[in-house]
Amino acid sequence: MDDLVKKTKGIITKEGLVRAGDRILVGCSGGIDSVALLFVLREISHDFHFELGIAHVNHLLRGEESERDEDFVKGLADRFSIHYYAKKVDVKDEARKTGKSLQHAGRDIRYRFFYEIANQLHFNKIAIAHNLDDQVETFLLRVIKGTGIRGLSSIPVKRGRIIRPFLTIYRSEIEEYVKTRTVPFVEDASNAKSVYERNYVRQEILPAMER
């Protein structure tokens, strides 16, 4: 068994993230983390006896690339015969109206959509692909911006319907799984832009700390 699959089953069992009969909606952008989560959950669904659905939000931020991502995720759903739910939202307009950053506005829109689908179609769990690297990045961002003790707890492995089966797993382990299994995914060109705060932490601060 792949290490990633084994570790994911371990955290699911240890944290009680899933029970037999659960209906799990997987938030999938088409990127490496969420696609790997979809593949792993599909692989272990027979052991834990749960059902999957896929939700995708097209933020309309990257033109043809955003349309490509949506088509890609729909293709995965068709390939695996999994119910698929998608929504197009102008995140830039939402950010302007609310005064939030693009990243924060996009996050709010995604979670709102995930909960809408979960409520309407009776998904009792929503799986998000946050991993240990995301956890470290979130911790550092909160330290930099200033936070209380509660804020330093970073991302929880579960909160209400939200579950994060990859939260104790490094991104390098996800990359190894994808490489070994030749799992397809799409690249978001904006991930290379250090103008976004999380990308700056990932590309500049963490490498400096490692050195």
Side-chain angles (χ1 to χ4, degrees):
M1 182 188 295
D2 288 295
D3 286 344
L4 181 62
V5 175
K6 183 178 180 180
K7 287 189 175 183
T8 304
K9 291 180 75 171
I11 187 173
I12 284 175
T13 301
K14 179 183 177 182
E15 301 291 341
L17 300 185
V18 171
R19 294 181 179 179
D22 279 348
R23 301 189 73 232
I24 303 175
L25 186 66
V26 182
C28 188
S29 67
I32 186 170
D33 296 337
S34 61
V35 171
L37 179 62
L38 174 63
F39 271 67
V40 170
L41 289 179
R42 178 177 173 273
E43 184 171 341
I44 66 177
S45 62
H46 300 299
D47 297 328
F48 288 89
H49 307 289
F50 55 74
E51 181 184 344
L52 293 175
I54 300 174
H56 174 83
V57 176
N58 182 340
H59 294 148
L60 301 174
L61 288 173
R62 294 176 286 114
E64 291 183 2
E65 196 175 86
S66 292
E67 298 301 319
R68 176 209 64 182
D69 294 354
E70 183 176 346
D71 290 341
F72 173 78
V73 177
K74 184 179 186 303
L76 290 179
D78 292 341
R79 172 181 171 182
F80 295 136
S81 298
I82 297 174
H83 290 299
Y84 169 73
Y85 313 95
K87 184 174 186 176
K88 286 182 169 68
V89 182
D90 188 338
V91 172
K92 188 176 293 186
D93 184 59
E94 179 73 10
R96 181 182 58 80
K97 289 178 179 176
T98 60
K100 298 176 181 176
S101 68
L102 286 177
Q103 288 184 319
H104 288 171
R107 178 190 180 280
D108 289 348
I109 287 168
R110 287 194 301 276
Y111 277 81
R112 190 158 61 238
F113 177 60
F114 296 161
Y115 274 104
E116 286 174 2
I117 295 300
N119 288 332
Q120 291 171 13
L121 299 169
H122 309 293
F123 286 95
N124 64 318
K125 301 286 175 63
I126 300 170
I128 307 296
H130 287 133
N131 56 58
L132 193 53
D133 290 49
D134 295 315
Q135 183 78 292
V136 173
E137 292 160 12
T138 298
F139 176 84
L140 288 174
L141 279 170
R142 291 180 179 179
V143 169
I144 291 167
K145 292 181 176 183
T147 184
I149 295 297
R150 186 175 181 182
L152 291 178
S153 63
S154 296
I155 306 171
V157 69
K158 59 181 176 180
R159 176 184 289 162
R161 293 188 191 184
I162 301 292
I163 60 171
R164 298 181 171 91
F166 278 178
L167 199 58
T168 61
I169 293 168
Y170 286 104
R171 184 171 286 116
S172 59
E173 297 175 272
I174 295 170
E175 291 170 349
E176 180 62 26
Y177 169 84
V178 165
K179 180 180 178 181
T180 301
R181 295 291 194 91
T182 61
V183 173
F185 64 94
V186 291
E187 293 275 8
D188 181 345
S190 67
N191 286 336
K193 298 179 180 179
S194 59
V195 65
Y196 297 117
E197 59 185 22
R198 185 172 291 275
N199 291 352
Y200 184 79
V201 169
R202 183 178 303 153
Q203 296 165 15
E204 305 292 338
I205 296 178
L206 283 175
M209 292 178 72
E210 288 172 357
R211 288 194 298 272

